[in-house]
Amino acid sequence: MARTDERDDTTQPATGDQRRFAAARNRMVHEGLVRRGISDRRVLDAMATVPRERFLPAASAASAYEDRPLPIGSGQTISQPYVVALALEAAAVQPTDRALEVGTGSGYAAAVLDELAAEVWTVERHGDLVVDASESLRATLHGSVHVRWGDGALGWPEAAPFDVVVVSAAGERIPEPLLDQLADGGRLVMPVGPADGHQELVVVRRDGDRLDREELGPVQFVPLLPERATRPVRAHRHRTGEPVAADPELSPAERLARACEPFSSITGADLSGLLHRLSGARVVLLGPSTLGTSEFVQVGARITRALVDHLGCRTVVLDADWPDVAALDAWCAGIDPSPDEPPPCAAFPSWRWRNQEFGALLAWLRRRVAAGDGSDPVRLVGLDVDAGDCVRSQVLDALDGSDPVAADALRRRYVTDVPWAHGPVGPPTLSGRAAAAVDRVVERAVEAARQRLEHPSGPREFLDPTAQDDLVRSTPQSVAATVAGGPDWWSERERRAATFLRSIVDRAEGPVVVWSHAARVGDAAATDLDLAGGSSLGQACRSAFGDDAYLIGMGSGTGSVAAATSWGGHTEVLSLEPARAGSIEELLDASHLPAFLLDLRATRQHRVGAELGGRRPQRVVGPVVGPAPTDRPAVLRGVLPQQFDEYVWIGATSAVVPVPVPVDTTRADRFPPGG
Ligand code: SAH
């Protein structure tokens, strides 16, 4: 549904052009529609509202209100206003309807439909049109329309059933999947007939198993063509109306646009190609470059759900403290926490998991168990056996009481000390009292980690005896390294995590999906981490599982994240730094695509791989984005096509919606959300 409250032309003075277009639009409604017999008030109002000129290349915008089809690129046309009105009137769209359009084209008819229905899905076979239509829809405040690049004859099975299906291209017969996806009482409107012969606009109503068909009169539409067409041929052309250059010598951005699979909305992204590539994987690692990013959590959730639904994944590993994940696992299994249990994922940075987007995935997992379809429940497992973040916050708490200066120095170090960039801040020198306080925390943490490992229902159930011995033996060193933030804390942590993960994967039935961060998921051999002698979880997975480990990186152009400005600080919504010169972000942003999936394994054989190659700077943002230059997140440099197997690009991102940690026991802010 369109967001009318945000429409800016009601609050800002209209320009001369806008006034002329509005007048032309009114004329079109009266002369082109009312006079020709369109009488549905809502349809007329919607057509009087949607600025048709915004869905056309600049060169033909002046003709926007002539009642005829106009070219929009890729050999396609925008539908004639009268025909859009006729089809939508026949569909009798209600404000609560879920509607599907086949043949997005310019996006114009989808925008009108969005004025009438509750939610709209639309499919287009030309990648270029998907990109342009998505942009026009966003620019006219119809950004909630889901646009998919695909074969519309297949409908949109995941979003079905639909109350309304409108097919904006003609076919000899109505595709079966579209009839299957029609809800009881639903209406389907489609021009039926040969491409250049007599076509009838047909409306089909579903009444239980019965389909009633009515013919509304002759029409002329472009044909419904088989399958989806080419990937986008050109990078964005800013609606200049320039014809697509026939020159076979493409720019790097154009080559990239051809190699990728674009999408405009995360719910709309077609994951079938990715699922195909994931089909043999034993472990799939998700590596967003920034934490606290809504879109990355949503993409991770979609990939996770697809792995569960289609590839038999039953194990989800979270790069989080083990006790927190054990609590989430119990909740997803349908067990409610007792009132005296502490809220899960409350330690800094709490928003990493405590956010609405991730909560939605947990709720889905819980519903899946409740629905009891007979398949095994999905288990959640925490990767951090020794609760690193908890230990850090306990140490800081202890120091705040005994040596605030040292606490401050350590907070700084936790922000800047990443192994690929040696921060200017060294470990603080502690007073005797402070050192003793830290020692006590470390001792307690080691003991807690040991108990956890040895507890019958703890992580032990995932470990073989050697792996367990190994982990128990290395616990003190690992905890101490985490606290001191010394040079080897990273490698220690990666080594332990890899040992644990390997044994989980070895014991799991289907593929295992791991939620982590780009710096851990990317292969360290392809980044600055190896220069610093560091390793990574992704690298360990590649050496253990070869091509059966699938590393997915995620990056973004601009936007905001949820983060704090100091270690342990409050959650804020902070802007991302602009892309650096020569960075991966700068290169991918030049495609001007809203979002895409990129099969990096395939690009390694081609020029795109070479163009993405070289050690390029790339953004990595953790929980803290500090205000001082020294607090800025260090930039990792890596060779993208080697670092990951797949890359998910989101042009503009937004912050996750945090679920605050309750301050008392009333649990006003439920996390996970209500079952
Ligand atoms: N409704 C559009 C115009 C549609 S023209 C508008 O308002 O601008 C028909 C569109 O259907 C074209 O863009 C064409 O590329 C698309 N199309 C044809 N066959 C298709 C298919 N099998 N799946 C999805 N889209 C298809």
Side-chain angles (χ1 to χ4, degrees):
M1 189 152 53
R3 287 173 296 170
T4 41
D5 51 332
E6 287 176 33
R7 220 175 278 291
D8 53 8
D9 52 359
T10 55
T11 50
Q12 281 168 15
T15 64
D17 267 355
Q18 279 170 340
R19 271 196 302 272
R20 267 192 300 281
F21 280 130
R25 192 153 56 237
N26 277 327
R27 254 196 323 276
M28 171 197 85
V29 169
H30 288 285
E31 287 159 26
L33 308 182
V34 177
R35 281 211 190 146
R36 293 171 73 182
I38 305 291
S39 60
D40 183 325
R41 196 65 255 165
R42 294 187 65 237
V43 171
L44 293 171
D45 286 348
M47 304 273 300
T49 305
V50 177
R52 193 163 189 261
E53 71 278 6
R54 304 278 292 270
F55 292 85
L56 285 166
S60 27
S63 318
Y65 295 100
E66 294 167 18
D67 195 22
R68 60 182 173 104
L70 294 163
I72 51 172
S74 299
Q76 299 303 323
T77 53
I78 186 172
S79 306
Q80 181 188 355
Y82 173 68
V83 169
V84 173
L86 192 67
L88 294 179
E89 187 170 60
V93 190
Q94 304 302 306
T96 50
D97 281 351
R98 297 160 56 84
L100 170 72
E101 187 209 20
V102 172
T104 316
S106 66
Y108 172 69
V112 179
L113 189 52
D114 191 39
E115 293 283 334
L116 300 171
E119 198 162 356
V120 177
W121 290 260
T122 176
V123 188
E124 169 58 53
R125 68 186 286 276
H126 280 291
D128 279 337
L129 294 181
V130 169
V131 172
D132 286 348
S134 307
E135 195 182 298
S136 304
L137 284 163
R138 251 199 311 276
T140 54
L141 298 176
H142 294 95
S144 60
V145 171
H146 311 280
V147 190
R148 167 177 285 186
W149 173 43
D151 179 5
L154 304 176
W156 195 313
E158 309 93 296
F162 301 103
D163 305 296
V164 166
V165 176
V166 177
V167 185
S168 296
E172 301 267 9
R173 62 188 64 79
I174 302 173
E176 276 300 316
L178 299 182
L179 292 170
D180 292 344
Q181 291 170 30
L182 199 57
D184 196 12
R187 289 82 57 206
L188 176 146
V189 182
M190 174 173 170
V192 179
D196 41 13
H198 176 82
Q199 299 170 3
E200 277 286 328
L201 193 62
V202 168
V203 53
V204 176
R205 278 186 201 82
R206 175 179 286 285
D207 180 4
D209 287 339
R210 215 181 66 216
L211 295 170
D212 299 322
R213 183 180 163 123
E214 191 190 333
E215 299 197 344
L216 301 177
V219 281
Q220 199 57 53
F221 275 75
V222 296
L224 188 68
L225 296 168
E227 297 170 355
R228 67 178 177 191
T230 51
R231 293 152 190 260
V233 175
R234 58 183 151 68
H236 181 76
R237 94 197 119 104
H238 268 302
R239 300 213 149 262
T240 53
E242 296 289 314
V244 181
D247 186 355
E249 187 44 43
L250 302 170
S251 71
E254 286 168 329
R255 262 191 295 278
L256 172 66
R258 273 196 167 188
C260 74
E261 295 168 20
F263 56 91
S264 64
S265 77
I266 293 167
T267 42
D270 180 358
L271 297 188
S272 54
L274 174 64
L275 274 177
H276 185 70
R277 300 192 279 283
L278 289 176
S279 58
R282 293 183 65 197
V283 59
V284 179
L285 291 100
L286 304 176
S289 54
T290 59
L291 296 180
T293 298
S294 175
E295 289 76 8
F296 292 157
V297 181
Q298 293 178 56
V299 168
R302 266 216 72 196
I303 295 176
T304 302
R305 289 174 58 161
L307 281 165
V308 170
D309 279 342
H310 304 295
L311 295 179
C313 164
R314 294 293 176 265
T315 317
V316 176
V317 175
L318 306 182
D319 170 2
D321 293 344
W322 213 88
D324 282 330
V325 185
L328 300 183
D329 180 55
W331 186 82
C332 290
I335 304 163
D336 284 317
S338 61
D340 52 341
E341 256 175 69
C345 308
F348 180 83
S350 65
W351 65 89
R352 174 156 187 206
W353 307 105
R354 261 186 171 270
N355 60 68
Q356 287 187 4
E357 293 85 341
F358 191 68
L361 175 67
L362 296 174
W364 179 79
L365 289 168
R366 183 164 154 125
R367 280 199 304 277
R368 198 182 156 273
V369 170
D373 65 353
S375 61
D376 292 336
V378 174
R379 292 293 316 267
L380 269 66
V381 184
L383 190 60
D384 274 346
V385 182
D386 44 19
D389 283 341
C390 279
V391 175
R392 284 183 183 211
S393 45
Q394 284 161 20
V395 164
L396 292 174
D397 283 349
L399 283 184
D400 278 334
S402 56
D403 188 345
V405 177
D408 200 43
L410 206 55
R411 269 197 183 89
R412 282 248 151 147
R413 188 164 177 80
Y414 287 168
V415 178
T416 54
D417 192 63
V418 284
W420 59 88
H422 294 288
V425 203
T429 329
L430 302 181
S431 67
R433 202 168 135 239
V438 170
D439 282 348
R440 274 196 300 281
V441 173
V442 172
E443 229 168 77
R444 275 204 306 273
V446 168
E447 193 41 42
R450 276 230 176 94
Q451 277 177 12
R452 202 170 293 140
L453 277 167
E454 283 160 9
H455 193 279
S457 68
R460 191 170 88 147
E461 64 177 295
F462 299 97
L463 292 167
D464 60 48
T466 359
Q468 181 168 353
D469 280 354
D470 184 24
L471 282 180
V472 170
R473 235 178 305 110
S474 63
T475 297
Q477 193 186 344
S478 166
V479 174
T482 303
V483 170
D488 38 318
W489 76 271
W490 176 277
S491 290
E492 250 322 297
R493 188 179 64 151
E494 296 308 281
R495 202 187 63 75
R496 282 166 67 81
T499 304
F500 187 36
L501 182 58
R502 252 201 319 273
S503 54
I504 295 172
V505 175
D506 282 341
R507 291 177 169 221
E509 289 257 316
V512 171
V513 59
V514 184
W515 284 61
S516 186
H517 182 267
R520 298 191 79 176
V521 167
D523 186 342
T527 69
D528 285 357
L529 269 165
D530 75 327
L531 303 180
S535 56
S536 73
L537 194 58
Q539 181 182 32
C541 285
R542 274 195 177 157
S543 70
F545 304 109
D547 279 350
D548 293 347
Y550 204 83
L551 318 183
I552 303 181
M554 303 185 199
S556 63
T558 55
S560 49
V561 287
T565 50
S566 65
W567 192 274
H570 292 297
T571 317
E572 295 177 46
V573 175
L574 300 167
S575 295
L576 290 173
E577 272 191 12
R580 307 208 178 191
S583 65
I584 277 297
E585 291 81 22
E586 187 188 62
L587 206 66
L588 299 186
D589 215 23
S591 72
H592 288 288
L593 293 167
F596 58 75
L597 295 170
L598 182 61
D599 173 0
L600 288 173
R601 283 187 187 174
T603 68
R604 286 176 207 151
Q605 301 350 310
H606 300 112
R607 234 170 115 177
V608 173
E611 280 157 2
L612 291 175
R615 264 184 210 247
R616 289 177 178 278
Q618 51 185 260
R619 195 190 277 133
V620 269
V621 174
V624 178
V625 179
T630 48
D631 297 341
R632 290 271 156 74
V635 169
L636 180 65
R637 292 184 317 138
V639 186
L640 197 74
Q642 260 75 51
Q643 198 179 347
F644 302 105
D645 299 296
E646 181 95 20
Y647 206 64
V648 181
W649 173 256
I650 308 277
T653 59
S654 48
V656 289
V657 182
V659 180
V661 181
V663 281
D664 56 30
T665 50
T666 58
R667 289 183 177 257
D669 290 305
R670 286 192 62 90
F671 186 84

